[in-house]
Amino acid sequence: MIRKANLTIVHHEKIAESTFLLHVLSEASTLDIKPGQFIHIKIGQDHSHVLRRPISIADVDHTNKIIKIIFKTVGEGTSYLSQQKVGGKIDALLPCGSSYPIDNLTMDHALLIGGGIGVPPLYYLAKQLVEKGVSVTTILGFQTASHVFFEQEFKALGDVYVATNDGSYGHSGFVTDVYHAVKPSFDYYFSCGPTPMLKGITTDLKEKQGYISLEERMGCGVGACFACVIPSVNGGYKKICQQGPVFDASEVILA
Amino acid sequence: MIRKANLTIVHHEKIAESTFLLHVLSEASTLDIKPGQFIHIKIGQDHSHVLRRPISIADVDHTNKIIKIIFKTVGEGTSYLSQQKVGGKIDALLPCGSSYPIDNLTMDHALLIGGGIGVPPLYYLAKQLVEKGVSVTTILGFQTASHVFFEQEFKALGDVYVATNDGSYGHSGFVTDVYHAVKPSFDYYFSCGPTPMLKGITTDLKEKQGYISLEERMGCGVGACFACVIPSVNGGYKKICQQGPVFDASEVILA
Amino acid sequence: MNLSVSLPGLKLKNPIMPASGCFGFGAEYSKFYDLNQLGAIIIKAATAEARYGNPTPRVAETSAGMLNAIGLQNPGVDNIIANELPALSVYDTPIIANVAGSTIEEYEMVAKAFKNTEQVEALELNISCPNVKEGGVQFGTDPYLASEVTKRVKAQSDVPLYVKLSPNVTNIVEIANAVAKAGADGLSMINTLTGMRIDLQTRKPIIANKIGGLSGPAIKPVAIRMIYQVKQQIDIPIIGMGGITCAEDVLEFLLAGANAVAVGTANFENPFICPEIIAELPEVLKKYGFSSVEDAIGKGHINE
Amino acid sequence: MNLSVSLPGLKLKNPIMPASGCFGFGAEYSKFYDLNQLGAIIIKAATAEARYGNPTPRVAETSAGMLNAIGLQNPGVDNIIANELPALSVYDTPIIANVAGSTIEEYEMVAKAFKNTEQVEALELNISCPNVKEGGVQFGTDPYLASEVTKRVKAQSDVPLYVKLSPNVTNIVEIANAVAKAGADGLSMINTLTGMRIDLQTRKPIIANKIGGLSGPAIKPVAIRMIYQVKQQIDIPIIGMGGITCAEDVLEFLLAGANAVAVGTANFENPFICPEIIAELPEVLKKYGFSSVEDAIGKGHINE
Ligand SMILES: Cc1cc2nc3c(=O)[nH]c(=O)nc-3n(C[C@H](O)[C@H](O)[C@H](O)COP(=O)(O)OP(=O)(O)OC[C@H]3O[C@@H](n4cnc5c(N)ncnc54)[C@H](O)[C@@H]3O)c2cc1C
Ligand SMILES: Cc1cc2nc3c(=O)[nH]c(=O)nc-3n(C[C@H](O)[C@H](O)[C@H](O)COP(=O)(O)OP(=O)(O)OC[C@H]3O[C@@H](n4cnc5c(N)ncnc54)[C@H](O)[C@@H]3O)c2cc1C
Ligand SMILES: Cc1cc2nc3c(=O)[nH]c(=O)nc-3n(C[C@H](O)[C@H](O)[C@H](O)COP(=O)(O)O)c2cc1C
Ligand SMILES: Cc1cc2nc3c(=O)[nH]c(=O)nc-3n(C[C@H](O)[C@H](O)[C@H](O)COP(=O)(O)O)c2cc1C
Ligand code: FES
Ligand code: FES
């Protein structure tokens, strides 16, 4: 059940160009948080920003009730977040949305494909998969070398391939290029990233079963306003904030 | 000449109910600041508050380039100011407006009459008068005992009478009641406070020469927008932010 | 303190209700708090058939506000009655149904469908949705069309009809007068102002529909002005809305002439906003010298 | 980077000018910076005779905006020409005079008076001031009156005429069309939306005039929408304004179709805002892939 939480920032780190890692302390138990879910963050103290900003949960330390998020500063909201200090508070709704349904899947080998700010939720997912004994191969795509983050963290959990669009680090090109070059074997794939990347992946891997996490500008973040929809293969729309952000790749139609 | 200053808060103190004293450090010399002038303060970091707030200069420590202001929290702007911390910055235009013209006046004895948040500018004035060898009698009016501030500070400079509207401290009633009871002798009077108080004073003391400082909601604070006008006895209007806030009591028409 | 208010057909425990389109059909917020606390609930717009709405992005933030162009997405009135309303029947809170359409006939059909439900205690006639028949003229901006649709829908319904006005008009009093004369039991105002944001990167309007509706604190002064002007001229109950975020805002709307208020955008910022405002209201009314909600209504017009 | 723009009768070094009423006659801001930096200066409204304006309070803050009801206070056109313009003659910056009035005759008189000055290179016809003749209908909200006053003022003047439109209309394109056909050389948009705030303590509107004009970031989406809509339909130069606070905002107005912009309310928050925006503009244009100001104008309409 979604709650409104008053989180305390306990760690604040710049981990790549314009990219920040925050650890926030939750008063309530974090045990209900699943990989793929997001927190919906209020920006500022007054009403000048009327919309919350959705940020994926990158990791959870259940023992210490710490939630980790990673974000890139792209506008006013993320800039505000990046300026908050250790000891400061974050007002967030959580946990929001659906998760990668790993409890219902049997597999030996999972392929994770993340692009840019789509990388964070895959880390919590990777950790949970490894805990379940699943071996994990990860392909990470970034724009350029200075944007790369969490390569080592993923390496600790399995094979990792990094691609940069401009070739300044790792493989040159897109994550799909890496996929075709490496041809890893896997049972299910799990992906998160910009829509063009997801479109490429779901097209190239359409014979495989996979789960993708989508992004859309959100209003309420809880399923009430119909702002964040994606066309469904059965007609009609699905709400990304509530029925997603994680969908079976075959149930939604990417633009 | 008015400048845009980035002031640093060096002291922050609650001196009465909802009433705060701030000391702010100026980078530039403070020697040009005269009693009766105000600083025009930006509220918040973004553009959610488009209007600055005028606050009188309560005192200046020229040696250390420190400006002192006293304000009461009545709305969003003053609440924001009260929440700023030592080390924090204040964006202000200063020094704004006219001053009590004491350099052009010859006198032995001055009467100062202040009401509520009109008290602060009289303190800097009182200090300068005393420095010039003028003896100062001060009448201060407040709503109630918990609002009283700076009585001791004024006592160090001359006779002081305090009145509260509800009689909970000092004389019971208005500053004009105290005036009629005490009948102090003086050459010029100087006053600042709510318009009804100023109206009472200028009526009761209409045989005397005096200077009053006015309040009005302001736009620009520098004389460009015509928001802050007061009818002039010669027809037309005067701009309080530029030709005031201090006026000869006989040149303006109080509503 | 007595927070109750009476409007035609509605006895409200308090004057606070979520605004149409900002609260779905209540299900999501019922997980945050007990909906019995609300004065009423205005549900999302209903059309005759299911509508899928506009392409995304459908929302964008602006200074102290937001734009939306959802495009009346809803499962259709029959579906709403069959699948959404039953969950609300457990609450002792009046439901106001927001009626939308592209043609007068569609408005009539929707109003008629709601007639067969016990639950809906009033209709809010949404005459400010874009893309309608009659050469693109909007029902909410033409006094004649506004009056026509009011009359025809009123005839189809046995519950009070609140006509929701668009602020995108030269003369709000003229439209208000037209719908009042046509038999509206009350007014609901204001709907969103129309606005646009352009993305500097893509060089296109952010909202896929290009133009969206502006809501939130940014529009509050426009809402207060329009309610005040209408109240000066016409004696008709008003549900006020536009930028409300706190109990002080509610009081400002009451003073301007609103009899009750709806809270829209603020639900997104804080899902608990409605019960929080209800809890703060007695203290705020007391602070400013009012003995009840009814005592404050229209009091901004006294000292003229 | 080339920031210059050409509009009818105006060669501007850059597209940034202070908006009418927010910069007086320049004297106050000339103490903050060299006014030569500005693209142009739009001076405070002039009427035929001196006007003392409305009672105070004349301004009040709102969320990301403000209300004003100054009421056209000014010393009268002859006085302005004799006492205010000379101080501006030292600058190599075009002056645009804002022409106001209560009747068409008054507008004509003001325009005529400015004809005898060398300094005024364009007129901005302010047809959105309240309290005019013709039964209270405002010139800016009636296409016929808007067209009439445009024609008559145009006939009195030998400099280009920019007609300043009111956003408080149902159909902005209709008014824009009317004044364009009547001979306007350009449009200036938008003036303020009308709004109100009520003081909870006094229970009265804060602004003594009750209703005031809403300006600042809150209205930017409305300004962008209106400029975009007009640009879609009419090929006429536009001076855009409404809530501009930074170079990114300027670019958004250029994309929407403005050829130059005016900055109003933001001068109050930061007296240096105009030169700061001018300094930031080249970098912002470059960041979003534009090679000059002219290159960006109307580019929000390309990807349709
Ligand atoms: C379910 C979900 C999970 C997300 N997880 C992360 C994450 O872990 N880390 C991260 O850095 N970002 C994440 N995002 C994207 C993040 O929400 C946006 O970057 C953020 O809202 C931008 O806010 P802003 O105020 O800084 O930018 P704005 O000034 O609002 O906009 C700047 C840019 O951000 C984009 N944007 C704005 N709002 C959204 C939105 N709601 N969704 C997507 N793009 C948007 C716009 O296209 C625009 O180009 C996620 C988005 C969703 C929907
Ligand atoms: C020249 C001058 C000097 C001043 N000096 C001081 C001072 O030394 N200490 C101090 O506490 N206050 C002083 N004030 C008053 C102070 O400016 C207001 O209290 C402040 O602007 C209120 O801002 P707010 O956002 O807190 O309140 P808001 O939410 O804006 O308004 C709350 C209340 O404050 C009043 N108010 C708002 N703006 C003004 C304004 N510009 N002038 C007067 N009243 C206003 C309103 O009537 C309202 O009741 C001075 C005002 C002027 C014009
Ligand atoms: C996302 C969203 C969806 C809306 N949908 C509807 C709707 O379906 N019917 C309607 O009459 N008004 C709709 N509105 C308008 C609101 O009910 C309300 O009139 C407006 O938003 C102003 O109030 P606010 O500033 O409190 O949001 C919608 C507003 C928003 C923000
Ligand atoms: C205090 C004030 C005074 C104004 N006076 C005038 C005026 O005399 N003539 C005019 O055409 N517009 C006047 N305006 C409107 C502005 O020129 C501008 O159109 C409007 O404020 C929107 O721009 P902004 O949001 O940047 O302020 C005034 C605005 C303000 C805030
Ligand atoms: S953001 Fe409101 S339904 Fe998803
Ligand atoms: S506040 Fe603008 S002229 Fe005084």
Side-chain angles (χ1 to χ4, degrees):
Chain A
M1 194 119 111
I2 303 175
R3 55 186 174 273
K4 184 159 166 272
N6 191 15
L7 307 166
T8 309
I9 302 174
V10 292
H11 180 79
H12 184 300
E13 189 185 347
K14 185 167 178 178
I15 57 172
E17 195 185 316
S18 324
T19 310
F20 296 84
L21 166 68
L22 250 58
H23 292 195
V24 295
L25 180 68
S26 160
E27 287 178 7
S29 164
T30 56
L31 288 170
D32 54 346
I33 302 176
K34 299 199 185 64
Q37 291 189 298
F38 66 92
I39 73 175
H40 207 37
I41 303 178
K42 176 164 161 59
I43 303 302
Q45 302 298 316
D46 58 11
H47 306 287
S48 46
H49 294 281
V50 304
L51 297 182
R52 289 171 178 262
R53 304 296 197 272
I55 301 288
S56 300
I57 291 160
D59 195 10
V60 185
D61 168 353
H62 296 292
T63 319
N64 296 306
K65 298 199 278 195
I66 283 173
I67 300 166
K68 304 177 187 178
I69 58 173
I70 294 171
F71 59 90
K72 212 172 137 180
T73 51
V74 296
E76 288 182 20
T78 46
S79 298
Y80 168 85
L81 268 187
S82 73
Q83 286 155 20
Q84 300 311 297
K85 302 205 164 60
V86 168
K89 297 286 185 180
I90 289 185
D91 171 345
L93 304 181
L94 71 97
C96 297
S98 66
S99 56
Y100 294 102
I102 55 174
D103 290 344
N104 313 323
L105 304 175
T106 325
M107 67 189 127
D108 293 327
H109 199 148
L111 174 63
L112 275 49
I113 310 172
I117 54 162
V119 170
L122 298 182
Y123 182 65
Y124 185 34
L125 173 68
K127 276 181 57 175
Q128 295 228 334
L129 286 169
V130 168
E131 232 169 64
K132 285 180 185 295
V134 177
S135 71
V136 170
T137 298
T138 307
I139 304 175
L140 304 178
F142 297 96
Q143 270 184 304
T144 187
S146 61
H147 288 189
V148 177
F149 63 87
F150 264 43
E151 183 185 11
Q152 296 313 319
E153 283 79 355
F154 278 99
K155 274 221 170 108
L157 301 169
D159 289 343
V160 179
Y161 303 90
V162 176
T164 50
N165 298 0
D166 64 358
S168 56
Y169 188 86
H171 298 249
S172 178
F174 298 110
V175 289
T176 41
D177 298 328
V178 177
Y179 171 77
H180 292 298
V182 176
K183 290 214 189 310
S185 69
F186 63 91
D187 304 306
Y188 292 97
Y189 73 88
F190 302 91
S191 187
C192 184
T195 306
M197 180 194 102
L198 295 178
K199 179 104 180 150
I201 290 166
T202 52
T203 309
D204 290 8
L205 304 188
K206 66 170 168 295
E207 312 300 331
K208 297 294 237 167
Q209 211 185 331
Y211 295 87
I212 55 174
S213 178
L214 302 179
E215 280 190 12
E216 187 50 77
R217 286 181 179 255
M218 290 185 179
C220 65
V222 302
C225 77
F226 299 91
C228 65
V229 296
I230 179 101
S232 139
V233 290
N234 308 318
Y237 282 104
K238 301 253 179 197
K239 292 183 268 188
I240 292 177
C241 70
Q242 192 185 42
Q243 293 156 299
V246 178
F247 292 97
D248 185 319
S250 64
E251 68 179 318
V252 289
I253 303 164
L254 299 176
Chain B
M1 195 119 110
I2 302 175
R3 56 186 172 272
K4 183 157 166 274
N6 192 16
L7 308 167
T8 309
I9 303 175
V10 292
H11 179 80
H12 184 301
E13 188 186 348
K14 186 168 178 179
I15 56 170
E17 196 184 316
S18 323
T19 310
F20 296 83
L21 166 68
L22 250 59
H23 293 193
V24 296
L25 180 68
S26 162
E27 285 178 10
S29 164
T30 55
L31 287 170
D32 55 343
I33 302 177
K34 300 200 184 65
Q37 291 189 297
F38 65 93
I39 72 175
H40 207 37
I41 304 177
K42 175 164 161 58
I43 304 302
Q45 302 298 317
D46 59 10
H47 306 287
S48 47
H49 294 280
V50 303
L51 297 182
R52 288 171 179 261
R53 303 297 196 269
I55 301 288
S56 300
I57 291 161
D59 195 10
V60 185
D61 168 353
H62 296 293
T63 318
N64 296 304
K65 298 200 278 193
I66 283 172
I67 299 166
K68 304 177 188 179
I69 57 172
I70 294 171
F71 58 90
K72 213 173 136 179
T73 52
V74 296
E76 287 181 21
T78 46
S79 298
Y80 168 87
L81 269 188
S82 74
Q83 285 153 21
Q84 301 312 297
K85 302 204 163 59
V86 168
K89 298 284 185 182
I90 289 185
D91 172 345
L93 305 181
L94 72 95
C96 298
S98 65
S99 57
Y100 294 102
I102 55 174
D103 290 344
N104 312 325
L105 303 174
T106 326
M107 67 190 125
D108 292 327
H109 199 146
L111 174 63
L112 275 50
I113 309 174
I117 53 162
V119 170
L122 299 183
Y123 181 66
Y124 185 34
L125 173 68
K127 276 179 58 174
Q128 296 228 333
L129 286 169
V130 168
E131 233 169 65
K132 285 180 185 293
V134 176
S135 71
V136 170
T137 299
T138 307
I139 304 176
L140 304 178
F142 296 96
Q143 268 183 308
T144 185
S146 61
H147 288 189
V148 176
F149 63 86
F150 263 44
E151 183 185 10
Q152 295 314 317
E153 283 78 355
F154 278 99
K155 273 220 170 110
L157 301 169
D159 288 343
V160 179
Y161 303 89
V162 176
T164 51
N165 298 359
D166 64 359
S168 55
Y169 188 86
H171 298 249
S172 179
F174 298 111
V175 288
T176 39
D177 299 328
V178 177
Y179 172 77
H180 292 297
V182 175
K183 292 212 188 312
S185 68
F186 63 93
D187 303 305
Y188 292 96
Y189 73 88
F190 302 91
S191 186
C192 183
T195 306
M197 182 195 101
L198 295 179
K199 178 105 180 149
I201 290 166
T202 51
T203 309
D204 290 8
L205 305 188
K206 67 171 167 293
E207 312 301 331
K208 297 294 235 166
Q209 207 184 335
Y211 295 87
I212 55 174
S213 177
L214 302 179
E215 282 191 11
E216 188 49 78
R217 285 181 180 256
M218 289 185 179
C220 65
V222 301
C225 78
F226 298 91
C228 66
V229 296
I230 179 101
S232 138
V233 291
N234 309 318
Y237 283 103
K238 300 252 177 197
K239 292 183 267 187
I240 292 177
C241 69
Q242 192 185 41
Q243 294 157 297
V246 178
F247 292 97
D248 185 319
S250 63
E251 69 180 317
V252 290
I253 303 165
L254 298 177
Chain C
M1 170 143 347
N2 186 357
L3 298 185
S4 70
V5 280
S6 288
L7 291 111
L10 296 169
K11 289 230 162 278
L12 311 182
K13 344 179 212 273
N14 64 64
I16 313 297
M17 50 190 111
S20 182
C22 302
F23 207 72
F25 300 99
E28 289 77 20
Y29 290 93
S30 73
K31 291 174 197 149
F32 287 109
Y33 58 86
D34 180 356
L35 303 187
N36 271 319
Q37 294 178 65
L38 298 169
I41 297 172
I42 312 182
I43 57 176
K44 172 84 193 146
T47 51
E49 304 295 328
R51 294 221 193 164
Y52 298 127
N54 294 321
T56 59
R58 292 177 168 188
V59 292
E61 200 180 66
T62 67
S63 292
M66 65 174 281
L67 295 170
N68 91 79
I70 307 297
L72 294 181
Q73 178 173 353
N74 80 98
V77 65
D78 295 336
N79 213 313
I80 291 170
I81 292 169
N83 303 322
E84 303 289 354
L85 287 186
L88 288 172
S89 66
V90 302
Y91 302 106
D92 167 34
T93 300
I95 306 301
I96 302 174
N98 187 270
V99 174
S102 302
T103 60
I104 295 196
E105 294 70 33
E106 185 175 3
Y107 280 110
E108 288 179 315
M109 281 169 67
V110 176
K112 213 167 165 177
F114 279 123
K115 202 171 178 175
N116 305 322
T117 74
E118 281 286 286
Q119 263 179 286
V120 170
E121 300 189 21
L123 299 183
E124 187 183 52
L125 185 63
N126 179 357
I127 55 167
S128 35
C129 61
N131 313 319
V132 291
K133 220 163 67 171
E134 331 280 3
V137 179
Q138 298 182 0
F139 288 103
T141 54
D142 176 325
Y144 172 75
L145 287 177
S147 148
E148 274 303 295
V149 66
T150 302
K151 259 186 227 154
R152 302 252 310 255
V153 168
K154 179 83 191 149
Q156 294 300 329
S157 168
D158 50 8
V159 292
L161 184 67
Y162 292 81
V163 180
K164 185 157 181 181
L165 304 185
S166 163
N168 303 295
V169 295
T170 307
N171 188 339
I172 192 74
V173 175
E174 185 188 19
I175 303 269
N177 241 324
V179 301
K181 288 213 178 99
D185 298 284
L187 302 175
S188 177
M189 57 195 288
I190 57 172
N191 211 320
T192 52
L193 281 166
T194 51
M196 181 186 281
R197 264 190 70 188
I198 299 178
D199 189 312
L200 304 184
Q201 205 90 55
T202 65
R203 305 180 184 182
K204 285 193 261 192
I206 294 183
I207 301 272
N209 187 50
K210 294 183 186 171
I211 291 175
L214 181 64
S215 62
I219 70 166
K220 202 186 73 174
V222 176
I224 295 285
R225 185 264 292 179
M226 290 189 163
I227 292 169
Y228 187 93
Q229 287 182 318
V230 167
K231 195 74 177 185
Q232 290 275 75
Q233 305 286 332
I234 310 170
D235 186 24
I236 188 169
I238 297 173
I239 300 173
M241 67 204 72
I244 291 174
T245 64
C246 61
E248 280 83 0
D249 290 344
V250 173
L251 178 53
E252 193 174 347
F253 274 82
L254 296 176
L255 295 177
N259 301 64
V261 300
V263 179
T265 304
N267 290 288
F268 305 160
E269 199 183 314
N270 175 6
F272 295 95
I273 192 70
C274 288
E276 282 180 15
I277 288 176
I278 294 164
E280 285 164 14
L281 194 53
E283 203 187 319
V284 168
L285 287 169
K286 199 175 140 211
K287 177 173 169 192
Y288 292 102
F290 297 100
S291 59
S292 68
V293 167
E294 296 271 13
D295 182 27
I297 297 168
K299 285 285 157 64
H301 296 262
I302 298 286
N303 304 295
E304 304 238 300
Chain D
M1 170 146 341
N2 187 354
L3 297 185
S4 70
V5 282
S6 287
L7 289 112
L10 297 169
K11 288 230 163 277
L12 310 182
K13 344 178 214 270
N14 65 63
I16 313 299
M17 50 190 110
S20 181
C22 301
F23 207 72
F25 299 99
E28 289 76 21
Y29 291 93
S30 72
K31 292 175 198 148
F32 288 108
Y33 58 88
D34 180 355
L35 303 186
N36 271 319
Q37 294 178 65
L38 298 170
I41 297 173
I42 312 182
I43 57 176
K44 172 84 193 148
T47 52
E49 304 293 329
R51 293 222 194 166
Y52 297 128
N54 294 320
T56 59
R58 291 176 169 189
V59 292
E61 199 179 67
T62 67
S63 293
M66 65 173 283
L67 296 171
N68 92 78
I70 307 295
L72 295 181
Q73 179 174 353
N74 82 95
V77 66
D78 295 335
N79 213 313
I80 290 171
I81 293 169
N83 303 322
E84 305 287 353
L85 288 186
L88 289 172
S89 65
V90 302
Y91 302 106
D92 167 31
T93 300
I95 306 301
I96 302 174
N98 187 270
V99 174
S102 301
T103 59
I104 294 196
E105 294 72 32
E106 185 175 4
Y107 281 110
E108 287 179 315
M109 281 167 68
V110 176
K112 212 165 164 178
F114 279 121
K115 204 170 175 176
N116 305 323
T117 75
E118 281 286 286
Q119 263 178 287
V120 170
E121 300 189 19
L123 299 182
E124 187 184 52
L125 185 62
N126 179 357
I127 55 167
S128 35
C129 61
N131 313 319
V132 291
K133 218 162 70 171
E134 331 281 2
V137 179
Q138 299 182 359
F139 287 102
T141 55
D142 176 325
Y144 172 75
L145 287 177
S147 148
E148 275 303 296
V149 67
T150 302
K151 258 185 231 158
R152 302 249 312 252
V153 169
K154 180 82 191 149
Q156 294 300 328
S157 169
D158 50 8
V159 293
L161 184 67
Y162 293 80
V163 180
K164 185 157 181 181
L165 303 185
S166 162
N168 303 294
V169 296
T170 307
N171 189 338
I172 192 75
V173 176
E174 185 188 19
I175 302 269
N177 242 323
V179 301
K181 290 214 177 100
D185 297 284
L187 302 175
S188 177
M189 55 194 289
I190 59 174
N191 210 319
T192 53
L193 280 166
T194 51
M196 180 187 281
R197 263 191 70 189
I198 300 179
D199 189 313
L200 304 184
Q201 204 90 55
T202 64
R203 305 179 184 183
K204 286 194 259 194
I206 294 184
I207 301 272
N209 187 50
K210 293 185 187 171
I211 292 175
L214 183 64
S215 61
I219 70 166
K220 201 185 74 175
V222 176
I224 295 285
R225 185 264 291 179
M226 290 189 163
I227 292 168
Y228 188 94
Q229 286 182 319
V230 168
K231 195 73 178 184
Q232 289 275 76
Q233 305 286 333
I234 310 170
D235 185 24
I236 188 169
I238 297 173
I239 301 173
M241 68 203 71
I244 292 174
T245 64
C246 61
E248 281 83 0
D249 289 345
V250 173
L251 178 53
E252 193 175 348
F253 275 81
L254 297 175
L255 294 176
N259 300 64
V261 300
V263 178
T265 303
N267 290 289
F268 305 161
E269 201 183 314
N270 177 4
F272 294 95
I273 192 69
C274 288
E276 282 180 16
I277 289 175
I278 293 164
E280 286 165 15
L281 195 54
E283 203 188 319
V284 169
L285 287 168
K286 198 174 143 213
K287 177 173 169 192
Y288 292 101
F290 298 100
S291 59
S292 68
V293 167
E294 296 271 11
D295 183 27
I297 297 168
K299 284 287 156 62
H301 296 261
I302 298 284
N303 305 293
E304 303 241 299

